[in-house]
Each structure stands twice: as structure tokens, then as C-alpha cells.
Amino acid sequence: MSLAVEEAKKAAAIGEVPIGAIIVYKDEVIAKAFNLRETTQNATTHAELIAIQEACAKIGSWRLEETTLYVTLEPCPMCAGAILQSRIPRVVYGARDAKAGCVDSLYRLLNDNRFNHICEVTEGVLAEECGSLLTQFFRNLRAQKKNQKRV
Amino acid sequence: MSLAVEEAKKAAAIGEVPIGAIIVYKDEVIAKAFNLRETTQNATTHAELIAIQEACAKIGSWRLEETTLYVTLEPCPMCAGAILQSRIPRVVYGARDAKAGCVDSLYRLLNDNRFNHICEVTEGVLAEECGSLLTQFFRNLRAQKKNQKRV
């Protein structure tokens, strides 16, 4: 998870909401990514989705069996859906997302046996660090906007 | 929707599950796509997701305001999530997907006011044609497998 936190910091450094993701396949990191929505102006470029695409390319299959996804924030519906689509067996996340989280907060999409895949989920790993990156980012953003208004 | 059906037929022609999507922006078709999961071996290459990425590139923004997405099958959780992320205001789909549909069947992700976006949804447009493309595709696939076993 500390590698995912490093990715999230790279996002913050370029003004992106700091969320990072890592995919591990048989003890090897095969994908690293951070949120790039503003840079790319592409709504699908969340950290998890970029990492899943990278991992599929690396493994050469849409089935990401024997992988674990580490992500700093609880996945949104799009990313939770992409986790199901790619059959990732294990997901570890940091902080909960009370507004859009679809693993535990609003829905439990990764644990619904009506879908053709179910994940093993671990939450709360480095949760404080993952969450405070986000809190700090938005605090700075608000301060900047306030300063801009003054100028 | 007939354009989306044409896209779905292109998928079937190359052995992909026949699902097609179109995005219209101010009366102009700005993106056309069909499911490419087997060809790309990338779990995220559903018709809707490819079309959304194309449309973002075309408009130059992750916000797809003033657009309508037409898709032959009810979106899965990943694609419903991508619709929310890209703020598409209107979604029109053909057939329901009882096994994975997240617009009406299993969940109503596009009409949950806890998220920061809600869509206007129309279902059942050319539903029979959209659905029978899929039924026929899977019927052929089963017949092929049966024949292969015999050989």
C-alpha cells in the first residue's frame, strides 16, 4: 500500500486528486497508476482503471487472476465494476469514500453473488495516511481559491 | 439506436459479444464503438467505455454535457459508473441484462441521489433486435462448441 501512496503523491504533485493504485501479480508489481482525470480530460482515467488496463496489457489477458489490487481510496462504481470485469480476486484499500464508495460505503458491489465474480476485500490499510492526503489536497485547493478571490 | 445496433453487428462479425454504443452531442454522432474484450484482451474495452473515452477526446473534456449515450444492452456496473463519472445526462438502452445490468435490473446506479450525478434513462428501444443479436450469438457459439467436440 505504501507504493500506492507514492502514486497518490505523484497525482497531488500535478494538481490531481491524490489517489494511487498498484496491481501485484504473484509477488511482482505489474502496474502502478495515479488519477489523471484533469490532465487527460478523460473521465475514465481513475488510478484503478489505468492500473487494470496496464495489468491486462502486461499479462496479455482480460482475466487478472492471481492478482491483488491496492488502492488508496475505496473504489467508485466504475472502478469496482472494472475490478469485477477483470476478475481481480483480492482488493486492499486505504480510506473509505462515504460519498461514492461502492465496496462498503454506498454499495457492496464486490460482494454480491448475483454477479459472476466476488472479491476478497481488506479495508483500512494505511487508511489515515491515504485519507489525510486527500483532506490536505482539498484544504490546499480551497485556500488557493480563497487567495485567488482576494487577488 | 439503429447505429448502435450496427456497431453491435460489427462485434459479432469478429466473434465478440455483440454490444454497440453511440454517443450523440448536440445532434451529432461523436463516438461509435463496439465491445472488443476478446480482441484487445483488456477487461475495460466494453462498447460504452470505449465510446466515452472517444467522446472525451472529441469534446476535450471529461464532462460529457449535452450528450446522449445509446447502447444496445443495459450497462454493467463498470459502464454505469463511467456514465456517472462522465456526467452523461441521458442514456437510452435496448435490452435489459438480468445478470449484470446496473441501471434497472440488479441496481439503479444512474438514479441514486447519493451520487453527484443522476441520468435520465429510457429503456427498451429496439429491445427485441438488440436482445436477439445476443441470443443468436450465444446460440451459434454453443453450436460451434458442440461441433468442435464431435470433431
Side-chain angles (χ1 to χ4, degrees):
Chain A
M1 182 63 86
S2 57
L3 284 175
V5 169
E6 287 313 306
E7 291 300 305
K9 286 178 183 169
K10 290 182 197 169
I14 58 166
E16 295 277 1
V17 176
I19 302 163
I22 294 286
I23 296 177
V24 173
Y25 172 66
K26 297 181 179 174
D27 298 326
E28 190 198 341
V29 175
I30 59 163
K32 293 183 190 189
F34 52 91
N35 169 42
L36 276 171
R37 190 179 66 173
E38 299 303 327
T39 308
T40 60
Q41 287 295 314
N42 175 333
T44 71
T45 53
H46 283 192
E48 302 96 307
L49 219 79
I50 302 171
I52 287 170
Q53 290 174 327
E54 251 184 63
C56 289
K58 208 69 157 271
I59 294 186
S61 170
W62 60 262
R63 289 177 183 272
L64 299 181
E65 285 160 8
E66 298 183 72
T67 61
T68 301
L69 171 79
Y70 296 84
V71 56
T72 57
L73 185 68
E74 181 184 359
C76 76
M78 174 177 74
C79 293
I83 289 163
L84 293 176
Q85 289 299 339
S86 57
R87 312 287 194 269
I88 294 176
R90 188 163 171 250
V91 171
V92 180
Y93 73 85
R96 279 209 183 196
D97 180 359
K99 286 184 186 168
C102 282
V103 177
D104 289 297
S105 298
L106 302 186
Y107 292 97
R108 290 176 55 78
L109 295 182
L110 302 187
N111 282 283
D112 180 337
N113 53 24
R114 296 173 301 172
F115 289 128
N116 56 6
H117 185 66
I118 280 196
C119 290
E120 186 196 324
V121 174
T122 307
E123 68 156 312
V125 177
L126 299 184
E128 204 167 329
E129 191 173 356
C130 293
S132 73
L133 267 175
L134 285 158
T135 319
Q136 195 56 48
F137 177 82
F138 287 112
R139 192 177 294 146
N140 290 346
L141 205 67
R142 281 192 299 270
Q144 273 173 26
K145 279 188 184 162
K146 217 171 176 179
N147 281 338
Q148 279 171 353
K149 269 188 192 165
R150 267 186 208 143
V151 176
Chain B
M1 183 62 84
S2 56
L3 285 175
V5 170
E6 288 312 307
E7 291 300 305
K9 287 178 182 169
K10 290 182 198 169
I14 58 166
E16 294 276 1
V17 176
I19 303 162
I22 294 286
I23 296 178
V24 173
Y25 173 64
K26 296 181 180 173
D27 298 325
E28 191 198 341
V29 176
I30 58 163
K32 293 184 191 188
F34 52 92
N35 170 41
L36 276 171
R37 190 179 67 172
E38 300 302 328
T39 308
T40 59
Q41 287 295 316
N42 175 333
T44 71
T45 52
H46 283 191
E48 302 95 307
L49 219 79
I50 301 172
I52 288 171
Q53 289 173 328
E54 251 185 63
C56 289
K58 207 71 157 269
I59 294 185
S61 171
W62 60 262
R63 289 177 184 272
L64 298 181
E65 285 160 8
E66 298 184 71
T67 62
T68 301
L69 171 78
Y70 295 84
V71 57
T72 56
L73 185 68
E74 182 184 358
C76 76
M78 174 178 74
C79 293
I83 290 163
L84 293 175
Q85 289 299 338
S86 56
R87 312 286 194 268
I88 294 176
R90 189 165 171 249
V91 171
V92 180
Y93 73 85
R96 280 209 182 194
D97 180 359
K99 287 184 185 166
C102 282
V103 176
D104 290 297
S105 298
L106 302 186
Y107 292 97
R108 290 176 54 79
L109 294 181
L110 302 187
N111 282 283
D112 181 337
N113 53 24
R114 295 173 303 173
F115 289 128
N116 57 5
H117 184 66
I118 278 196
C119 290
E120 186 196 326
V121 174
T122 306
E123 67 157 313
V125 177
L126 299 185
E128 205 167 329
E129 191 173 356
C130 293
S132 72
L133 269 175
L134 286 158
T135 319
Q136 194 57 50
F137 177 82
F138 287 112
R139 193 176 294 148
N140 290 346
L141 205 65
R142 280 191 299 271
Q144 272 173 26
K145 280 188 184 164
K146 220 171 173 178
N147 280 337
Q148 279 171 353
K149 270 188 192 167
R150 268 188 208 145
V151 176

